[in-house]
Amino acid sequence: MLITFSDFTSIPVLWLQTAIAAIWVLFILLIAWVVNRFADKPEIVRKIVHIGTGNVILIAWWLDIPASVGITASILASAITLLSYRFPILPGINSVGRQSLGTFFYSVSFGILVAWFWYLQQPQYAALGILIMTWGDGLAALIGQRFGTHKYKVFGTEKSWEGSLTMMLVSYLVSGLILVGTQGNSWQTWAISLIVAVIATALEAVSFLGIDNLTVPLGSAALAFFLSQLVLS
């Protein structure tokens, strides 16, 4: 049967918005499953999910998906990830018994930021916080593991200067692009982005047991919001 454009226009907008976001997440999970199935690289699998699913915040922002959808998805994802630490629900994404609640905190931070900034009608800050965690922390881990030869320790956790520098640069670019796109190109905008990048990197460095997946997005978004209100209003 031929599907016409009118068939799509008859679909309720909310269902269409939700379907697009869900298809993206399922696509990322499919890629992760394939990599996990044919390559024994669990850390790569986790980063595919970490980076890939985080970008759904852009879909939610651009399509103006209601906050209730994002919050509900966050609650469901949080419940699933908690169960997956005990049962092999997400093999390759969470290791059973792994001493980290990072994936859980990641899901929680998404719901908190959507609830906060959708209510304020400032979704760009939710996107900023999530994408700093998504791309900054994700790439920092990969670069640190591959090229991190200069190590340092914070609270017993080993980090690399190469990874932290990657975190700072990516956070700066993410903040700058989002703030310039929504607030205009000015030295104040780039100054705010630099401060956010430095604090995000510090939060990532001092975190443990995966709590940076909560402190980094919430801290980055809150700082960018309050500094923007202070400087640009």
Side-chain angles (χ1 to χ4, degrees):
M1 180 184 294
L2 180 63
I3 299 176
T4 65
F5 180 75
S6 61
D7 294 321
F8 288 101
T9 58
S10 65
I11 301 174
V13 173
L14 178 59
W15 284 105
L16 187 59
Q17 292 170 322
T18 305
I20 292 172
I23 288 170
W24 172 260
V25 172
L26 291 174
F27 174 67
I28 295 301
L29 293 178
L30 176 62
I31 294 175
W33 180 84
V34 170
V35 173
N36 184 61
R37 177 69 175 79
F38 296 102
D40 185 22
K41 295 184 180 296
E43 188 59 31
I44 297 297
V45 172
R46 282 191 287 271
K47 291 311 172 186
I48 289 173
V49 175
H50 180 93
I51 294 174
T53 56
N55 290 295
V56 78
I57 192 68
L58 290 175
I59 297 175
W61 177 17
W62 292 339
L63 295 182
D64 195 24
I65 292 177
S68 58
V69 175
I71 295 169
T72 301
S74 171
I75 293 171
L76 291 175
S78 299
I80 292 171
T81 53
L82 273 182
L83 289 173
S84 72
Y85 288 112
R86 185 169 182 83
F87 306 103
I89 299 174
L90 302 174
I93 297 174
N94 286 321
S95 299
V96 177
R98 188 166 177 248
Q99 296 301 308
S100 172
L101 290 173
T103 309
F104 169 71
F105 288 135
Y106 194 34
S107 302
V108 170
S109 65
F110 190 98
I112 293 174
L113 288 176
V114 168
W116 183 1
F117 290 107
W118 255 246
Y119 173 76
L120 295 177
Q121 297 185 341
Q122 301 280 352
Q124 67 268 27
Y125 296 106
L128 183 149
I130 292 296
L131 292 180
I132 282 180
M133 191 66 227
T134 295
W135 288 99
D137 180 73
L139 292 179
L142 293 175
I143 295 297
Q145 291 167 12
R146 179 66 177 84
F147 303 104
T149 57
H150 301 85
K151 306 292 187 180
Y152 67 95
K153 283 190 175 182
V154 180
F155 300 138
T157 302
E158 189 174 77
K159 304 283 184 177
S160 74
W161 288 108
E162 291 83 357
S164 293
L165 179 60
T166 301
M167 176 72 181
M168 186 178 298
L169 290 175
V170 174
S171 299
Y172 181 60
L173 287 175
V174 168
S175 299
L177 290 173
I178 290 177
L179 295 181
V180 166
T182 56
Q183 298 172 176
N185 189 6
S186 67
W187 71 266
Q188 293 98 328
T189 295
W190 289 106
I192 291 172
S193 299
L194 180 59
I195 296 172
V196 169
V198 171
I199 297 302
T201 303
L203 289 172
E204 193 278 333
V206 302
S207 299
F208 54 92
L209 296 180
I211 200 172
D212 55 325
N213 282 352
L214 186 65
T215 59
V216 170
L218 296 186
S220 301
L223 184 60
F225 173 71
F226 288 120
L227 287 178
S228 296
Q229 298 302 303
L230 179 65
V231 174
L232 301 176
S233 60

